[in-house]
Amino acid sequence: MPGVLLGLGQGPVPDVAIGDAGQTGLITAGGRREVPFSTTTNQAVCVIDCSNYRWIAIQFTTFGGGTASFQASNDGVNWNVLQLGLTNAAIAGNTATATGMYAGPLHCRYFRVNVTGISGTIAGVAEFFAIAGVLANQTGNVGINGNVTIQAASPADGVTGNGTSAPSFAPLVFNGATWDRPRTPTTFKSASITASGNTAVWTPTSGKKFRLMRFIVMLTADAATSGGAEIDITFQDSTTDLGFKASCFVPAVAGTAFGNGFSSGWIDWGNGKLSALANNVLNGNLSAALTSGKCTIHAIGTEE
Amino acid sequence: MTTMPTIKEITDLGDDRIRVTVLRDDGSEVSGEGWLSAILNHYDPESYGPDGHLRPDAAPRRMTPDEVTDYLLSLVASPQAQILSVDDLTGIPKEP
């Protein structure tokens, strides 16, 4: 199906972008394709249509002897040498004869590594990078990739989908350094705490991490503590403080009149705080034990 | 009949993330992501109390090789999934 340029009518047939398992099917700036290779015989490996990629970094992790020649082609039949540079030395060449990382621009449609004279195993991984945005023929839609980044259907950390298809666009949120998928809470936990120290609020499923997104902390009006004191209510990721603290004065004698107690109100941590380690427990922590009443915590988020 | 899928590759993606690539016995590959710390910070089932929370005296340990294999395969959706034909589904034996 021909591509249609927005506002410009029908354009040329775009190439079909191909993403690997860790990449999107819709190549955007910064997109990448990973091609592992391994051979024990003389043959061409890592043969791909690299139309969507303008830079290659190829790493040989095993080199059992022989010569690996970098080659380029526009028809996939006739091949010419391609110059790449050894990244840890000022050496440019079109062959590799030892382990190492070679990188350079791609200005061709097809790329391959032609192995000759092999006497062992030659193996490694090639990464192909899309510098300029390239979009596939998405049923007539052509995205613009300049200041606008269009994220492909399946972001890096994956939309498992419902067996049909992933959403057309997955919005991302900036965390100050990288981009994350926005979450919506799916796990809802509650716990009542009276003891000093940590009490488990959220024990994730084995192998998972909790992501704390929102919570509310409440202290009943009949709360009391020995001698009366200011009690700190905090959260801990196993035993590491998560940075929230509510301080409440709790009297020595439990109140008997109906009152409002204390409520932090719902506190929204946006896209949430991800636990440092899988299987860590989200603990609620009291700096002193309650002799009456209780501290109730509702915590919601996701398990990942 | 299905056989155990083969773990082809485990990649450290950084920031505690790992990616496992599994080779299914039909020759196809499938990948999934998980946590390195799930392997290094593992708890026995007995570490969890009846309330579902970790017992106070529970201590994490590193997974055994078999546990690591089970965990890695669990990261991949349907690692043993096979490509079926209509004949496979109908169960009607083909004529000789």
Side-chain angles (χ1 to χ4, degrees):
Chain A
M1 179 177 184
V4 177
L5 298 176
L6 282 175
L8 297 177
Q10 183 167 303
V13 178
D15 294 335
V16 175
I18 302 171
D20 66 9
Q23 179 54 283
T24 66
L26 192 61
I27 305 304
T28 61
R32 170 185 62 82
R33 183 178 180 186
E34 184 173 293
V35 181
F37 58 89
S38 179
T39 182
T40 56
T41 61
N42 292 324
Q43 61 172 321
V45 296
C46 196
V47 186
I48 78 159
D49 179 341
C50 57
S51 304
N52 290 324
Y53 308 96
R54 296 278 67 88
W55 189 268
I56 182 176
I58 183 168
Q59 186 172 30
F60 294 89
T61 54
T62 303
F63 213 105
T67 300
S69 301
F70 311 124
Q71 296 184 338
S73 173
N74 280 345
D75 58 9
V77 177
N78 299 292
W79 296 88
N80 298 104
V81 298
L82 178 67
Q83 293 283 335
L84 298 178
L86 188 59
T87 57
N88 64 349
I91 299 173
N94 54 49
T95 60
T97 55
T99 57
M101 172 81 83
Y102 298 80
L106 289 168
H107 31 64
C108 53
R109 179 171 180 187
Y110 297 99
F111 173 83
R112 74 177 188 180
V113 177
N114 198 37
V115 175
T116 56
I118 194 168
S119 58
T121 298
I122 294 178
V125 177
E127 299 283 356
F128 296 84
F129 299 96
I131 297 173
V134 181
L135 292 176
N137 50 342
Q138 299 294 303
T139 31
N141 293 325
V142 173
I144 312 291
N145 193 12
N147 294 325
V148 179
T149 296
I150 299 177
Q151 177 62 42
S154 297
D157 48 357
V159 176
T160 55
N162 58 3
T164 54
S165 62
S168 296
F169 294 98
L172 298 177
V173 293
F174 190 55
N175 64 21
T178 56
W179 295 84
D180 292 334
R181 291 170 303 167
R183 270 72 172 175
T184 190
T186 53
T187 303
F188 306 85
K189 298 289 185 181
S190 292
S192 291
I193 303 173
T194 58
S196 176
N198 279 339
T199 299
V201 175
W202 182 349
T203 299
T205 304
S206 181
K208 299 288 189 180
K209 293 182 178 184
F210 67 80
R211 179 183 287 270
L212 180 59
M213 298 177 69
R214 291 166 213 155
F215 57 87
I216 186 170
V217 175
M218 295 171 286
L219 205 55
T220 54
D222 62 340
T225 188
S226 179
E230 193 175 90
I231 289 182
D232 293 333
I233 307 167
T234 58
F235 286 111
Q236 295 202 348
D237 177 3
S238 186
T239 55
T240 303
D241 187 77
L242 276 181
F244 166 83
K245 179 162 72 176
S247 299
C248 306
F249 174 75
V250 179
V253 179
T256 56
F258 181 76
N260 291 329
F262 164 77
S263 171
S264 66
W266 277 98
I267 295 178
D268 188 340
W269 273 3
N271 214 30
K273 170 72 175 174
L274 184 65
S275 172
L277 299 175
N279 300 321
N280 270 3
V281 173
L282 173 67
N283 288 309
N285 184 286
L286 297 184
S287 60
L290 299 178
T291 54
S292 173
K294 59 190 175 186
C295 173
T296 298
I297 294 172
H298 300 301
I300 69 177
T302 60
E303 288 193 1
E304 304 179 7
Chain B
M1 176 180 168
T2 61
T3 57
M4 281 297 291
T6 304
I7 295 174
K8 179 184 176 186
E9 189 173 65
I10 306 165
T11 308
D12 186 347
L13 301 177
D15 201 19
D16 197 31
R17 295 180 185 275
I18 55 174
R19 181 172 66 211
V20 59
T21 302
V22 169
L23 183 65
R24 298 189 290 208
D25 59 2
D26 62 6
S28 61
E29 292 183 7
V30 61
S31 295
E33 292 187 9
W35 306 111
L36 183 61
S37 61
I39 294 170
L40 306 178
N41 195 49
H42 177 69
Y43 290 88
D44 289 314
E46 297 75 28
S47 299
Y48 295 89
D51 60 357
H53 291 304
L54 280 175
R55 298 180 188 278
D57 59 349
R61 62 170 174 81
R62 183 185 291 246
M63 283 182 176
T64 65
D66 285 346
E67 289 170 337
V68 171
T69 301
D70 289 344
Y71 173 67
L72 294 176
L73 293 178
S74 76
L75 301 177
V76 178
S78 303
Q80 301 195 45
Q82 304 294 302
I83 298 172
L84 300 177
S85 66
V86 172
D87 288 340
D88 292 327
L89 299 172
T90 59
I92 300 172
K94 294 178 181 175
E95 293 185 6

